[in-house]
Each structure stands twice: as C-alpha cells, then as structure tokens.
Amino acid sequence: MNPEDNRFLKLIEQSIITHWELPALTDHQGDAFYYKDVAKEIVRLHLYLEIAGIGKGDKVALIGRNSSRWAITFFGVLSYGAVVVPILHDFKADNVHHIVNHSESKLLLAASQNRQYLNVEEMPGVKLFLGLNEWTVWHTNDESLLQISEQVEKLFQQRYPGDFKQDYIRFHKEEPEELAVLNYTSGTTGFSKGVMIPYRSLWSNTQYAADQLPFVHSGDNFVSMLPMAHMYGLAFEILNGIHKGCHIHFLPRIPNPKSVVESFAAFRPTLIIAVPLILEKIVKNNIFPVLRKPPVNILYKLPGVKQLIKKKILSQLNTAFGNNFEELVIGGAAINKEIEAFLRSLGFRYTVGYGMTECGPLISYEQWDTYKAESVGRVVDRMEVVIDSSDPANEVGEIIVRGMNNMLGYYKNPAATAEIMLPDGWMRTGDLGTIDKDGFLFIRGRCKTMILSSNGQNIYPEEIECVLNDMPYVIESLLVTRKEKIVALIYPDWELAKKNELSDEAVQALMDEHLNVLNQRIPAYAKVTGAELQREAFEKTPKLSIKRYLYQQE
C-alpha cells in the first residue's frame, strides 16, 4: 500500500477542499464556519504557531468546552505538524497544570471559563497563553509576542493576498508512526496517563467510519454531544464528520435534556453518537413509568394492543432523536440489559460499540440490523482480538488487542507502558470478556473491578449492579468491599421519593428490601450485605462511568 493512501491529514485536507462551499461548524446561537472558513482559520493559526516559535513535534495544549474554535484549533495544530494535547474542560486546576507540564506543552489555548482558574505561574514551560475563542494573548513572558495578533494579520495578508483559495492549503505530511495526539485519560488512580496516539490510529479509525457508515453523506447534520477532548466523541462526531463533509452543530455550553431534544428536532442528525445514560434516562424516566400504570399495564399484556403501544413508543423515541437518524451508536460504558432488550423489541435503530482511548478508540462495532444482543459488535478492520482463556467462547478472560489502532505507549511512563503492552504488538485492555463463534465480543467486567470472594470465586460487580439498577427508586449503584464483605452504595431517586412523600428511613428500608430480592437472584458467594445511600450522584469519568476508586474504602 502506498503510504500516501493512508494519511489522516490527507483525508482531512481533501475533504476541506472538496466541501469548500458547504457549512462545516456552527455554535449554538454563535459562530458559523463553512469549510473554506475553517481552512482560512487553520492557516491563520499556523502563523501564530510559526511566530511563537513552535516547531514540528512540539506540544500544544487545548482546553475548553466543545465549540467550532476548539475543532479548528485541533485541526490547525495537527496540520501544522505539532502534537495536540486536548484537556477535558472539567478537569481541576491541579490536574490541568500537571498535564500541561508533564506534556511539556509550549503553548496553551484555553477558553475564558477555564483560564480564570488556571495559574500561569504553575506552568513555567508554556511560552504563550492564547484565548481559545479569539486567539488573543492572555499571558506571555516574551514581550515580542504581546502583539502577535497584529503580526499574524500582517503576515497573512502578505502570504495570502486577495481571496483565500484552495491552492493555499498545504498540510503537514505525517508518517504513520508519528505522534499526533497526546490524550490524557480521566485518571482513575491519581493523575492521568498520557496516551500517545499516532497518525495511523487516527487514519484507521476515520477510514473505518467512512467504510462502515455508508449512510453518512456530505451535507448531513451531526449534533456534537460528547466531549471532544475524549477520543470517542472526537473520532466519530468530529473526525468522521469533517472527513465526510458534514455540518457539525455544537450544543449550548452546558447542555440539558431540553436543549438536546430541541437540537435534534432542529438539525435532524443522520448519525448519533451517545453514551448509555442518555437512552437509559429516557426509557427509565419517561417510558417505563407509563407502562407500569393502569390501564396501560393491563393493555400491554394483550398481544395485539402491545404491538400498537410499542409502535407508538418507537415513533416517540425516533422523534426525540430528530426522526432522521440511520443509527444511534452507544459506547463508553455498558448499556442496561433490561433497557437493551426493550429497545430491541421495539426495533429501535441502535448498536453498541467498544473501545478505549489507547485504541483511538475503536476495537469493535456492528451495524444495528446485524448487531447481536448484549454484545459490543465484532472486531473492526485492521484490529485483532484474543481472549486470554482456554475456552474464549465460554470462559471469561482478559481482552487483548493488536492492530493499527493501538497507541504507541504512555508518555514518559515506561512502567505503565510495560504493564499494558506485550510482545509482538499485543496490548492488554484490562477488560474481561468472551467471543462467540460468529466473532461477536461480549464484555463481562473489568480486571481491576473484579472482586475475589473468600472462597476464590470471581465476582463481576457490573453484572450485579445492572440487576440492582433496574429496581424501583434506584438511579445507580456501586458495589464495594468493606472488611471483606460486599456493600452496595446506592444513589436513590430522591426527587421521586420526595414526590411520593417517602422519608429517608422509608427509602433505606426499601433499599434493604431490594438487597433481599437481589441476594435471592445472585450466587451466595456474591451476597451483598448492606446498602449505603448516597445523597449526590456518583462522580463520573468523561465517558460517564463511575470513578470507582473514589468510593472504595477498607
């Protein structure tokens, strides 16, 4: 294969040129950019980097909520030949300082809401601090850069006189193994690790989306819901969307259910990328309660009427997501089994994929109409999967992967790299699973969350939590060990309890009763001995899975 045929930046460069006159990025009640505008702003950013003395391979950090300027900056840094360091906008100041310093970033672009809590003195290696939205200087120790905006505009007019043309586009020519993105994980045991994602991984993920999502066409609308600093949303909302010439719409700075539904109705996206929580909230809060109330619960038991009710529910669900989507892809965490079974019985167009930041992110996927229930699809192109067990179809083992999507390693962390990277290119995922005869992958739990009982039995807390989460008044739960006993931390639906005039004592009694029912349904060695109620929702990672390490005490 010609190396030119699998260059990520070539895909993006050609897309921008091909879709020059189409809309590309639009902020909610804010800026809008056509592909030609994106190209012009990318070149302008190149001049900022050049004047600031940023070289090829230097690190440029980027923090802020999803926005058009975030996306332009991301592509601008890569197409210049520098390494982009995306930082999640809700990281605390000390973690941001650590990431900027650890990555050796020489330039930081930060949105106004982020820079107000950052301390420039804590980031001595940064030469220039720019505002993300307007690219104006908010701090520098180099007086020659104080007027960089004026210098950029003058140089821009000299180099690109007249109308900005497609011929002006000259992106960096990368090598497959070259570092592109330094993506710091959510950090479940202290400070984050820097995942080194090469260009081959960006190309492989983007090309897979192009090959396997043929229903996406230029001019189609996307609604960006997931954080772009996380690889899941970045790869399949932004990289995929721009590569296909789509129009990406960004939600308000703090999205809420109402704004999300309004955006779907207004823009009618073709493809929706989501985490399970979005679907689960709609079904648990809006659909299941209606089905449980008379006379609906009685009518629902009648076969003919049941199908009519399901047809109406499906219509309402489709409408909630804009009524134009070909597929809704769920990733980032496991979907509730009861809700998944219900959605399949409706014929709802959804599928579940699986990946990790270290794979940029994709490992498995399957289109909705050939997807197998409770699986996470089949292994994607240019990747291999093995299960570390003697009977991969029936005996749970660690999922180990190899292929073009794999990372280079963890930045400046050889010990952590050695723990996960194996000889011959194989990489441990830390996830447990099985794979059936048809090649469908099933996730069974996490190696690190698995609980070993006193008699040597393996307990997978996610499976028990899934049962508990289906019970009335339970929003979410987490199993932890307390003095070698298993305890359930439960975040109840306090709002519903208040509405129904249930006291805290009554809620506790109800949860205790739930445990009695739960313990009758699970093996004796996995018995849950008590329930501790949480007043606030569990703290989450960017992909909305619970930060388990925060709640484990001995």
Side-chain angles (χ1 to χ4, degrees), residues 109-162:
L109 296 105
S112 56
Q113 65 268 27
N114 298 104
R115 69 188 196 220
Q116 63 187 356
Y117 65 78
L118 298 178
N119 183 351
V120 297
E121 302 300 325
E122 296 289 333
M123 298 173 282
V126 177
K127 186 175 182 180
L128 177 65
F129 296 82
L130 291 177
L132 176 59
N133 300 327
E134 66 285 349
W135 292 346
T136 54
V137 178
W138 57 281
H139 183 77
T140 181
N141 289 324
D142 186 344
E143 291 188 4
S144 68
L145 297 178
L146 289 173
Q147 305 302 320
I148 191 172
S149 297
E150 290 81 356
Q151 296 174 57
V152 165
E153 292 309 312
K154 182 178 179 180
L155 187 57
F156 185 90
Q157 295 302 325
Q158 292 174 355
R159 291 191 183 177
Y160 310 105

Short mmCIF file of all heavy atoms in Angstrom, two decimals, residues 109-162:
data_model
loop_
_atom_site.label_atom_id
_atom_site.label_comp_id
_atom_site.label_asym_id
_atom_site.label_seq_id
_atom_site.Cartn_x
_atom_site.Cartn_y
_atom_site.Cartn_z
N LEU A 109 -3.88 26.98 24.65
CA LEU A 109 -5.08 27.71 24.24
C LEU A 109 -6.20 27.31 25.17
O LEU A 109 -6.53 26.12 25.28
CB LEU A 109 -5.45 27.38 22.79
CG LEU A 109 -4.43 27.81 21.73
CD1 LEU A 109 -3.67 26.62 21.22
CD2 LEU A 109 -5.12 28.56 20.59
N ALA A 110 -6.79 28.28 25.86
CA ALA A 110 -7.81 27.98 26.87
C ALA A 110 -9.01 28.90 26.70
O ALA A 110 -8.86 30.10 26.45
CB ALA A 110 -7.22 28.12 28.27
N ALA A 111 -10.20 28.33 26.86
CA ALA A 111 -11.42 29.13 26.83
C ALA A 111 -11.48 29.99 28.08
O ALA A 111 -10.85 29.68 29.10
CB ALA A 111 -12.64 28.21 26.75
N SER A 112 -12.25 31.07 28.01
CA SER A 112 -12.29 32.04 29.11
C SER A 112 -12.73 31.41 30.42
O SER A 112 -12.20 31.73 31.49
CB SER A 112 -13.21 33.21 28.75
OG SER A 112 -14.51 32.73 28.42
N GLN A 113 -13.70 30.47 30.37
CA GLN A 113 -14.20 29.88 31.61
C GLN A 113 -13.16 28.96 32.26
O GLN A 113 -13.22 28.68 33.45
CB GLN A 113 -15.51 29.12 31.39
CG GLN A 113 -15.39 27.90 30.51
CD GLN A 113 -15.66 28.21 29.05
OE1 GLN A 113 -15.46 29.33 28.61
NE2 GLN A 113 -16.14 27.22 28.30
N ASN A 114 -12.18 28.50 31.49
CA ASN A 114 -11.12 27.65 32.03
C ASN A 114 -9.93 28.47 32.54
O ASN A 114 -9.39 28.19 33.61
CB ASN A 114 -10.62 26.66 30.97
CG ASN A 114 -11.70 25.71 30.51
OD1 ASN A 114 -12.23 25.86 29.42
ND2 ASN A 114 -12.04 24.74 31.35
N ARG A 115 -9.54 29.48 31.79
CA ARG A 115 -8.32 30.20 32.16
C ARG A 115 -8.48 31.01 33.43
O ARG A 115 -7.49 31.36 34.08
CB ARG A 115 -7.85 31.07 31.01
CG ARG A 115 -8.70 32.27 30.66
CD ARG A 115 -8.19 32.91 29.38
NE ARG A 115 -8.71 34.24 29.17
CZ ARG A 115 -9.08 34.71 27.99
NH1 ARG A 115 -9.02 33.92 26.93
NH2 ARG A 115 -9.51 35.95 27.85
N GLN A 116 -9.71 31.30 33.83
CA GLN A 116 -9.90 32.10 35.03
C GLN A 116 -9.49 31.37 36.31
O GLN A 116 -9.22 32.00 37.33
CB GLN A 116 -11.34 32.58 35.14
CG GLN A 116 -12.37 31.47 35.28
CD GLN A 116 -13.80 31.98 35.20
OE1 GLN A 116 -14.03 33.19 35.13
NE2 GLN A 116 -14.77 31.09 35.23
N TYR A 117 -9.41 30.02 36.25
CA TYR A 117 -8.99 29.30 37.45
C TYR A 117 -7.59 28.69 37.31
O TYR A 117 -7.12 28.00 38.20
CB TYR A 117 -10.01 28.19 37.81
CG TYR A 117 -10.14 27.06 36.83
CD1 TYR A 117 -9.19 26.04 36.77
CD2 TYR A 117 -11.23 26.98 35.96
CE1 TYR A 117 -9.31 24.99 35.88
CE2 TYR A 117 -11.36 25.93 35.07
CZ TYR A 117 -10.40 24.94 35.03
OH TYR A 117 -10.52 23.90 34.14
N LEU A 118 -6.94 28.96 36.18
CA LEU A 118 -5.58 28.44 35.99
C LEU A 118 -4.55 29.46 36.46
O LEU A 118 -4.77 30.67 36.40
CB LEU A 118 -5.35 28.12 34.50
CG LEU A 118 -6.26 27.03 33.92
CD1 LEU A 118 -5.96 26.84 32.43
CD2 LEU A 118 -6.08 25.72 34.66
N ASN A 119 -3.42 28.94 36.92
CA ASN A 119 -2.33 29.78 37.41
C ASN A 119 -1.15 29.65 36.46
O ASN A 119 -0.50 28.60 36.41
CB ASN A 119 -1.95 29.35 38.83
CG ASN A 119 -0.89 30.23 39.45
OD1 ASN A 119 -0.30 31.08 38.77
ND2 ASN A 119 -0.62 30.05 40.73
N VAL A 120 -0.85 30.71 35.72
CA VAL A 120 0.23 30.64 34.74
C VAL A 120 1.58 30.38 35.39
O VAL A 120 2.48 29.79 34.77
CB VAL A 120 0.29 31.93 33.89
CG1 VAL A 120 -0.99 32.09 33.08
CG2 VAL A 120 0.53 33.16 34.76
N GLU A 121 1.73 30.79 36.64
CA GLU A 121 3.00 30.57 37.35
C GLU A 121 3.24 29.07 37.60
O GLU A 121 4.39 28.66 37.81
CB GLU A 121 2.99 31.31 38.70
CG GLU A 121 2.78 32.82 38.57
CD GLU A 121 3.86 33.49 37.73
OE1 GLU A 121 5.02 33.03 37.81
OE2 GLU A 121 3.54 34.45 37.01
N GLU A 122 2.17 28.29 37.59
CA GLU A 122 2.30 26.84 37.79
C GLU A 122 2.66 26.11 36.50
O GLU A 122 2.83 24.89 36.51
CB GLU A 122 0.99 26.27 38.35
CG GLU A 122 0.61 26.77 39.73
CD GLU A 122 1.53 26.22 40.80
OE1 GLU A 122 2.09 25.12 40.60
OE2 GLU A 122 1.71 26.89 41.83
N MET A 123 2.75 26.86 35.38
CA MET A 123 3.07 26.24 34.09
C MET A 123 4.24 26.99 33.44
O MET A 123 4.07 27.66 32.41
CB MET A 123 1.83 26.25 33.19
CG MET A 123 0.66 25.45 33.74
SD MET A 123 -0.88 25.61 32.79
CE MET A 123 -1.46 27.22 33.38
N PRO A 124 5.42 26.91 34.04
CA PRO A 124 6.56 27.73 33.60
C PRO A 124 7.08 27.39 32.20
O PRO A 124 7.76 28.22 31.58
CB PRO A 124 7.63 27.44 34.66
CG PRO A 124 7.27 26.09 35.21
CD PRO A 124 5.77 26.05 35.18
N GLY A 125 6.79 26.21 31.69
CA GLY A 125 7.30 25.82 30.38
C GLY A 125 6.51 26.37 29.22
O GLY A 125 6.93 26.28 28.06
N VAL A 126 5.34 26.96 29.51
CA VAL A 126 4.49 27.49 28.43
C VAL A 126 5.00 28.86 28.01
O VAL A 126 5.11 29.77 28.82
CB VAL A 126 3.02 27.57 28.88
CG1 VAL A 126 2.17 28.20 27.79
CG2 VAL A 126 2.49 26.18 29.23
N LYS A 127 5.27 28.99 26.72
CA LYS A 127 5.81 30.24 26.19
C LYS A 127 4.72 31.27 25.92
O LYS A 127 4.92 32.48 26.08
CB LYS A 127 6.57 29.94 24.89
CG LYS A 127 7.31 31.12 24.30
CD LYS A 127 8.11 30.69 23.09
CE LYS A 127 8.90 31.85 22.52
NZ LYS A 127 9.71 31.44 21.33
N LEU A 128 3.55 30.78 25.51
CA LEU A 128 2.47 31.69 25.12
C LEU A 128 1.13 31.11 25.51
O LEU A 128 0.85 29.94 25.26
CB LEU A 128 2.52 31.92 23.60
CG LEU A 128 1.43 32.79 22.97
CD1 LEU A 128 1.54 34.22 23.49
CD2 LEU A 128 1.53 32.76 21.46
N PHE A 129 0.30 31.95 26.13
CA PHE A 129 -1.06 31.56 26.51
C PHE A 129 -2.03 32.35 25.63
O PHE A 129 -2.04 33.60 25.66
CB PHE A 129 -1.34 31.89 27.98
CG PHE A 129 -0.48 31.13 28.96
CD1 PHE A 129 0.81 31.56 29.25
CD2 PHE A 129 -0.97 29.99 29.60
CE1 PHE A 129 1.59 30.86 30.17
CE2 PHE A 129 -0.19 29.30 30.51
CZ PHE A 129 1.09 29.73 30.79
N LEU A 130 -2.86 31.64 24.85
CA LEU A 130 -3.83 32.29 23.97
C LEU A 130 -5.25 31.95 24.40
O LEU A 130 -5.52 30.85 24.86
CB LEU A 130 -3.64 31.85 22.52
CG LEU A 130 -2.38 32.30 21.77
CD1 LEU A 130 -2.37 31.69 20.38
CD2 LEU A 130 -2.30 33.81 21.69
N GLY A 131 -6.16 32.90 24.19
CA GLY A 131 -7.57 32.63 24.36
C GLY A 131 -8.03 31.72 23.24
O GLY A 131 -7.68 31.93 22.07
N LEU A 132 -8.81 30.70 23.57
CA LEU A 132 -9.25 29.74 22.56
C LEU A 132 -10.20 30.37 21.55
O LEU A 132 -10.13 30.09 20.36
CB LEU A 132 -9.91 28.54 23.26
CG LEU A 132 -10.52 27.48 22.35
CD1 LEU A 132 -9.47 26.88 21.43
CD2 LEU A 132 -11.17 26.38 23.18
N ASN A 133 -11.09 31.21 22.03
CA ASN A 133 -12.16 31.72 21.17
C ASN A 133 -11.71 32.86 20.26
O ASN A 133 -12.22 33.01 19.16
CB ASN A 133 -13.34 32.17 22.02
CG ASN A 133 -13.91 31.03 22.84
OD1 ASN A 133 -13.89 29.89 22.41
ND2 ASN A 133 -14.40 31.32 24.04
N GLU A 134 -10.74 33.66 20.71
CA GLU A 134 -10.35 34.83 19.92
C GLU A 134 -8.87 34.87 19.57
O GLU A 134 -8.41 35.74 18.85
CB GLU A 134 -10.74 36.12 20.67
CG GLU A 134 -9.98 36.36 21.97
CD GLU A 134 -10.42 35.51 23.14
OE1 GLU A 134 -11.47 34.84 23.02
OE2 GLU A 134 -9.72 35.50 24.17
N TRP A 135 -8.09 33.91 20.11
CA TRP A 135 -6.65 33.81 19.83
C TRP A 135 -5.91 35.10 20.18
O TRP A 135 -5.02 35.54 19.44
CB TRP A 135 -6.38 33.41 18.38
CG TRP A 135 -6.80 32.01 18.06
CD1 TRP A 135 -7.13 31.04 18.95
CD2 TRP A 135 -6.96 31.43 16.77
NE1 TRP A 135 -7.48 29.88 18.30
CE2 TRP A 135 -7.39 30.09 16.95
CE3 TRP A 135 -6.79 31.92 15.46
CZ2 TRP A 135 -7.64 29.22 15.89
CZ3 TRP A 135 -7.05 31.05 14.41
CH2 TRP A 135 -7.47 29.72 14.61
N THR A 136 -6.30 35.70 21.28
CA THR A 136 -5.57 36.87 21.77
C THR A 136 -4.73 36.45 22.97
O THR A 136 -5.06 35.50 23.68
CB THR A 136 -6.53 38.01 22.19
OG1 THR A 136 -7.47 37.49 23.14
CG2 THR A 136 -7.27 38.55 20.98
N VAL A 137 -3.65 37.16 23.20
CA VAL A 137 -2.72 36.81 24.27
C VAL A 137 -3.33 37.12 25.63
O VAL A 137 -3.82 38.22 25.86
CB VAL A 137 -1.40 37.60 24.10
CG1 VAL A 137 -0.44 37.29 25.25
CG2 VAL A 137 -0.76 37.28 22.76
N TRP A 138 -3.30 36.13 26.52
CA TRP A 138 -3.71 36.43 27.90
C TRP A 138 -2.54 36.31 28.87
O TRP A 138 -2.64 36.76 30.01
CB TRP A 138 -4.92 35.61 28.35
CG TRP A 138 -4.83 34.12 28.30
CD1 TRP A 138 -4.97 33.34 27.20
CD2 TRP A 138 -4.65 33.21 29.38
NE1 TRP A 138 -4.88 32.01 27.53
CE2 TRP A 138 -4.68 31.89 28.87
CE3 TRP A 138 -4.47 33.37 30.76
CZ2 TRP A 138 -4.53 30.75 29.65
CZ3 TRP A 138 -4.32 32.22 31.55
CH2 TRP A 138 -4.35 30.94 30.99
N HIS A 139 -1.42 35.78 28.37
CA HIS A 139 -0.19 35.85 29.18
C HIS A 139 1.00 35.39 28.34
O HIS A 139 0.89 34.46 27.54
CB HIS A 139 -0.26 34.97 30.43
CG HIS A 139 0.96 35.09 31.29
ND1 HIS A 139 1.17 36.16 32.12
CD2 HIS A 139 2.05 34.28 31.42
CE1 HIS A 139 2.32 36.01 32.74
NE2 HIS A 139 2.88 34.87 32.34
N THR A 140 2.13 36.06 28.51
CA THR A 140 3.40 35.62 27.95
C THR A 140 4.51 36.37 28.66
O THR A 140 4.34 37.51 29.09
CB THR A 140 3.49 35.88 26.43
OG1 THR A 140 4.75 35.39 25.95
CG2 THR A 140 3.36 37.36 26.10
N ASN A 141 5.64 35.69 28.80
CA ASN A 141 6.83 36.34 29.36
C ASN A 141 7.74 36.88 28.27
O ASN A 141 8.79 37.46 28.56
CB ASN A 141 7.61 35.34 30.23
CG ASN A 141 6.86 35.02 31.52
OD1 ASN A 141 6.20 35.88 32.10
ND2 ASN A 141 6.95 33.76 31.96
N ASP A 142 7.32 36.65 27.02
CA ASP A 142 8.08 37.12 25.87
C ASP A 142 7.40 38.38 25.31
O ASP A 142 6.36 38.29 24.66
CB ASP A 142 8.15 36.01 24.81
CG ASP A 142 9.04 36.37 23.63
OD1 ASP A 142 9.37 37.56 23.47
OD2 ASP A 142 9.40 35.45 22.87
N GLU A 143 8.00 39.52 25.56
CA GLU A 143 7.36 40.79 25.16
C GLU A 143 7.17 40.88 23.65
O GLU A 143 6.26 41.58 23.17
CB GLU A 143 8.20 41.97 25.65
CG GLU A 143 8.17 42.14 27.18
CD GLU A 143 8.84 43.43 27.63
OE1 GLU A 143 9.25 44.22 26.73
OE2 GLU A 143 8.94 43.65 28.84
N SER A 144 7.99 40.16 22.89
CA SER A 144 7.86 40.22 21.43
C SER A 144 6.57 39.58 20.93
O SER A 144 6.17 39.79 19.77
CB SER A 144 9.06 39.53 20.77
OG SER A 144 9.03 38.13 21.01
N LEU A 145 5.92 38.80 21.81
CA LEU A 145 4.69 38.11 21.41
C LEU A 145 3.42 38.83 21.88
O LEU A 145 2.32 38.35 21.60
CB LEU A 145 4.70 36.68 21.95
CG LEU A 145 5.81 35.77 21.42
CD1 LEU A 145 5.72 34.39 22.07
CD2 LEU A 145 5.73 35.63 19.90
N LEU A 146 3.56 39.94 22.57
CA LEU A 146 2.39 40.64 23.08
C LEU A 146 1.49 41.14 21.95
O LEU A 146 0.27 41.22 22.10
CB LEU A 146 2.82 41.81 23.97
CG LEU A 146 3.42 41.43 25.33
CD1 LEU A 146 3.97 42.67 26.04
CD2 LEU A 146 2.39 40.73 26.20
N GLN A 147 2.09 41.46 20.81
CA GLN A 147 1.32 41.96 19.67
C GLN A 147 1.24 40.91 18.57
O GLN A 147 1.17 41.24 17.39
CB GLN A 147 1.98 43.25 19.12
CG GLN A 147 2.19 44.34 20.14
CD GLN A 147 0.89 44.77 20.81
OE1 GLN A 147 -0.15 44.87 20.14
NE2 GLN A 147 0.92 45.01 22.11
N ILE A 148 1.21 39.64 18.94
CA ILE A 148 1.25 38.57 17.94
C ILE A 148 0.04 38.59 17.01
O ILE A 148 0.14 38.27 15.82
CB ILE A 148 1.41 37.18 18.61
CG1 ILE A 148 1.72 36.12 17.55
CG2 ILE A 148 0.18 36.81 19.43
CD1 ILE A 148 2.07 34.76 18.13
N SER A 149 -1.11 39.00 17.51
CA SER A 149 -2.31 39.03 16.66
C SER A 149 -2.12 39.98 15.48
O SER A 149 -2.47 39.66 14.33
CB SER A 149 -3.54 39.44 17.48
OG SER A 149 -3.80 38.49 18.48
N GLU A 150 -1.54 41.14 15.76
CA GLU A 150 -1.28 42.12 14.69
C GLU A 150 -0.24 41.59 13.71
O GLU A 150 -0.35 41.76 12.49
CB GLU A 150 -0.82 43.45 15.28
CG GLU A 150 -1.90 44.22 16.02
CD GLU A 150 -2.13 43.71 17.46
OE1 GLU A 150 -1.49 42.70 17.85
OE2 GLU A 150 -2.95 44.31 18.17
N GLN A 151 0.78 40.88 14.26
CA GLN A 151 1.82 40.31 13.40
C GLN A 151 1.23 39.25 12.48
O GLN A 151 1.58 39.17 11.30
CB GLN A 151 2.92 39.68 14.26
CG GLN A 151 3.68 40.67 15.14
CD GLN A 151 4.65 39.94 16.06
OE1 GLN A 151 5.51 39.19 15.60
NE2 GLN A 151 4.51 40.15 17.35
N VAL A 152 0.33 38.45 13.02
CA VAL A 152 -0.30 37.39 12.22
C VAL A 152 -1.11 37.98 11.08
O VAL A 152 -1.02 37.53 9.93
CB VAL A 152 -1.20 36.49 13.11
CG1 VAL A 152 -2.14 35.64 12.25
CG2 VAL A 152 -0.34 35.60 13.99
N GLU A 153 -1.90 39.00 11.37
CA GLU A 153 -2.75 39.59 10.33
C GLU A 153 -1.91 40.21 9.22
O GLU A 153 -2.25 40.09 8.03
CB GLU A 153 -3.68 40.64 10.94
CG GLU A 153 -4.75 40.06 11.86
CD GLU A 153 -5.51 38.91 11.22
OE1 GLU A 153 -5.96 39.05 10.06
OE2 GLU A 153 -5.66 37.87 11.87
N LYS A 154 -0.82 40.84 9.58
CA LYS A 154 0.06 41.46 8.58
C LYS A 154 0.70 40.39 7.70
O LYS A 154 0.72 40.50 6.47
CB LYS A 154 1.13 42.29 9.28
CG LYS A 154 2.07 43.02 8.33
CD LYS A 154 3.07 43.86 9.11
CE LYS A 154 4.02 44.58 8.15
NZ LYS A 154 5.03 45.41 8.88
N LEU A 155 1.20 39.32 8.32
CA LEU A 155 1.84 38.24 7.58
C LEU A 155 0.84 37.49 6.72
O LEU A 155 1.16 37.07 5.60
CB LEU A 155 2.54 37.29 8.57
CG LEU A 155 3.42 36.19 7.97
CD1 LEU A 155 4.52 36.81 7.08
CD2 LEU A 155 4.04 35.35 9.07
N PHE A 156 -0.38 37.35 7.23
CA PHE A 156 -1.43 36.66 6.47
C PHE A 156 -1.71 37.39 5.17
O PHE A 156 -1.84 36.77 4.10
CB PHE A 156 -2.70 36.56 7.32
CG PHE A 156 -3.80 35.75 6.68
CD1 PHE A 156 -3.90 34.39 6.87
CD2 PHE A 156 -4.74 36.37 5.86
CE1 PHE A 156 -4.91 33.65 6.27
CE2 PHE A 156 -5.76 35.64 5.25
CZ PHE A 156 -5.84 34.27 5.46
N GLN A 157 -1.82 38.71 5.24
CA GLN A 157 -2.11 39.50 4.03
C GLN A 157 -0.97 39.41 3.02
O GLN A 157 -1.20 39.42 1.81
CB GLN A 157 -2.36 40.96 4.42
CG GLN A 157 -3.60 41.18 5.27
CD GLN A 157 -4.87 40.69 4.60
OE1 GLN A 157 -5.02 40.77 3.38
NE2 GLN A 157 -5.80 40.16 5.40
N GLN A 158 0.27 39.31 3.54
CA GLN A 158 1.42 39.21 2.65
C GLN A 158 1.46 37.86 1.93
O GLN A 158 1.74 37.81 0.73
CB GLN A 158 2.72 39.39 3.45
CG GLN A 158 2.93 40.80 4.00
CD GLN A 158 4.16 40.88 4.90
OE1 GLN A 158 4.81 39.87 5.18
NE2 GLN A 158 4.48 42.08 5.36
N ARG A 159 1.20 36.79 2.67
CA ARG A 159 1.32 35.45 2.09
C ARG A 159 0.11 35.01 1.29
O ARG A 159 0.23 34.21 0.36
CB ARG A 159 1.58 34.43 3.20
CG ARG A 159 2.94 34.58 3.84
CD ARG A 159 3.24 33.38 4.73
NE ARG A 159 4.51 33.52 5.42
CZ ARG A 159 4.98 32.66 6.30
NH1 ARG A 159 4.27 31.56 6.60
NH2 ARG A 159 6.14 32.85 6.88
N TYR A 160 -1.06 35.53 1.67
CA TYR A 160 -2.29 35.06 1.02
C TYR A 160 -3.11 36.26 0.53
O TYR A 160 -4.20 36.54 1.04
CB TYR A 160 -3.12 34.21 1.99
CG TYR A 160 -2.30 33.12 2.65
CD1 TYR A 160 -1.91 33.23 3.98
CD2 TYR A 160 -1.91 32.00 1.95
CE1 TYR A 160 -1.15 32.24 4.60
CE2 TYR A 160 -1.15 31.00 2.54
CZ TYR A 160 -0.77 31.14 3.86
OH TYR A 160 -0.01 30.16 4.46
N PRO A 161 -2.60 36.97 -0.46
CA PRO A 161 -3.30 38.17 -0.95
C PRO A 161 -4.59 37.81 -1.69
O PRO A 161 -4.72 36.72 -2.27
CB PRO A 161 -2.28 38.79 -1.91
CG PRO A 161 -1.45 37.64 -2.37
CD PRO A 161 -1.36 36.71 -1.20
N GLY A 162 -5.54 38.73 -1.64
CA GLY A 162 -6.80 38.51 -2.35
C GLY A 162 -7.68 37.48 -1.67
O GLY A 162 -7.57 37.22 -0.47
#
